[in-house]
Amino acid sequence: MRRFIIDTDAASDDVVAMILALRDSSCKVEAITVVAGALPVEQGVINARVAVEVADCDKPPVYGGMTKPLWRKHITGESAHGKDGMSDIGLAKTSLPLGEGHAVDRIIELAEKFDDLEIITLGSMTNIAMAIMLNSKAMKRVKRIIAMGGQYRMPNPVTANAEYNIWIDAESADIVLQSGIPVTFVPLDACYGVAEINREDREKLLACGTYCGEFIVKANSKLLQFNINSYGKDIISQPDPSAVACALCEGVVLETRTCYARCETKSELGYGQLIYDFNSEKPHNVTVVTKISGEKFKQYMLDMASLK
């Protein structure tokens, strides 16, 4: 059985991603670590615990982590997710206790403890970068990082060059890329058009007969309205659940490319862009998921939501 840490900023699509991983019997989530991103950490640790309660399976501890990017101002994303990150409709309530200690310390401890640890990052890479800076020897034991983040070929909504999870703390992303840990990126544009929950998909989730299916739709109602208002698309975009599906569900990943990659941190115009060198003589440190199966992704989400 595969072993994971989920590192997240715990907005509405992250919550769905956590629920999928927690309900998937093929893996064990050892811990959920929360980082500043679309939400402040104080809200993120509430939402992550809500995800654990809604999943109603294993109950890994949730730890609060870095409260801002390493060197830059923290810019949140409540406009897409609501102030509580889950559409402001009263879902962000939990009775689960918060894990004691700091997320970064727990990441290092688990990396030292296990030989097969993988990390799924669903927000900025600040917690992971800090763990690398504090104990690079331990972190080099991590088998792989699967990261929702970055761009492949298309412009992105935050800037013309950069996706939010990378752009919010590009320095951390570049530290991770230089760490020696293999990284798989699920870029935002690989999810466009396929990892989107349309009206028919929402009806299936609501009809599956579980609170989990209902919760997924309700928690993302603000994101649905944001996509309608901003892009004229009646969909709930689900890039973070896509990363979990790419990690756990066979057949979701259709195409990949490997390359040597760094992250731009110096250019004012290009800050946060992942720079891919597919022909580099340097050892390739990144696998980029370039195509995913929307059909497989949606079925995986429905299967996990339907579990009784």
Side-chain angles (χ1 to χ4, degrees):
M1 181 177 291
R2 294 167 68 189
R3 193 183 310 274
F4 288 91
I5 292 172
I6 297 179
D7 190 73
T8 174
D9 58 3
S12 59
D13 55 331
D14 302 61
V15 171
V16 176
M18 287 183 270
I19 290 170
L20 300 184
L22 290 165
R23 291 194 137 214
D24 192 324
S25 60
S26 72
C27 73
K28 180 175 176 55
V29 179
E30 295 288 342
I32 296 172
T33 53
V34 180
V35 68
L39 303 174
V41 166
E42 294 79 9
Q43 185 63 54
V45 294
I46 294 172
N47 294 359
R49 286 177 285 165
V50 169
V52 173
E53 287 187 308
V54 173
D56 195 27
C57 295
D58 287 343
K59 291 183 167 52
V62 174
Y63 300 93
M66 300 296 291
T67 59
K68 62 180 290 296
L70 289 181
W71 292 291
R72 295 192 175 239
K73 180 181 177 182
H74 180 203
I75 301 173
T76 57
E78 288 98 334
S79 61
H81 301 279
K83 288 185 178 181
D84 70 357
M86 289 199 294
S87 300
D88 297 327
I89 57 174
L91 297 174
K93 298 176 182 177
T94 179
S95 59
L96 285 181
L98 184 64
E100 294 184 5
H102 197 280
V104 172
D105 294 328
R106 188 58 177 152
I107 290 167
I108 294 169
E109 289 169 7
L110 289 170
E112 290 178 319
K113 182 177 180 180
F114 297 113
D115 293 324
D116 58 349
L117 184 67
E118 298 176 76
I119 301 175
I120 299 176
T121 65
L122 305 175
S124 76
M125 291 185 162
T126 316
N127 280 343
I128 311 305
M130 181 60 73
I132 291 166
M133 290 190 290
L134 289 175
N135 193 331
S136 61
K137 181 178 179 181
M139 292 302 291
K140 285 180 180 178
R141 290 168 50 83
V142 172
K143 184 177 180 180
R144 181 171 64 145
I145 293 172
I146 303 98
M148 190 281 120
Q151 82 299 330
Y152 175 54
R153 292 301 191 200
M154 291 173 61
N156 289 281
V158 175
T159 74
N161 305 302
E163 178 273 332
Y164 176 83
N165 284 349
I166 306 301
W167 171 80
I168 191 176
D169 192 353
E171 287 81 7
S172 285
D174 202 48
I175 288 168
V176 172
L177 288 173
Q178 295 181 77
S179 69
I181 305 170
V183 177
T184 296
F185 278 116
V186 181
L188 187 61
D189 46 310
C191 305
Y192 285 155
V194 289
E196 298 175 343
I197 304 305
N198 58 31
R199 185 180 298 273
E200 181 183 352
D201 301 321
R202 299 195 297 273
E203 290 174 354
K204 290 179 180 179
L205 286 165
L206 291 170
C208 74
T210 66
Y211 175 66
C212 184
E214 178 184 345
F215 177 90
I216 289 171
V217 176
K218 287 184 175 180
N220 284 280
S221 58
K222 177 80 173 183
L223 185 55
L224 171 62
Q225 196 59 50
F226 178 83
N227 285 329
I228 291 171
N229 294 342
S230 299
Y231 309 114
K233 298 178 69 176
D234 183 17
I235 55 94
I236 301 171
S237 46
Q238 294 287 274
D240 290 323
S242 299
V244 166
C246 287
L248 297 178
C249 182
E250 186 176 355
V252 171
V253 176
L254 296 178
E255 293 179 0
T256 63
R257 296 187 69 182
T258 64
C259 64
Y260 175 75
R262 293 285 301 275
C263 187
E264 177 56 59
T265 62
K266 304 298 183 184
S267 166
E268 182 178 350
L269 293 177
Y271 180 81
Q273 181 175 359
L274 293 176
I275 308 300
Y276 304 125
D277 186 348
F278 293 102
N279 300 311
S280 177
E281 295 181 359
K282 296 179 180 179
H284 288 192
N285 57 346
V286 161
T287 299
V288 185
V289 175
T290 58
K291 186 177 181 180
I292 66 177
S293 168
E295 180 182 358
K296 289 279 189 181
F297 165 72
K298 291 180 182 185
Q299 189 60 53
Y300 177 69
M301 177 179 285
L302 185 60
D303 288 346
M304 294 300 105
S306 299
L307 293 173
K308 300 291 179 75

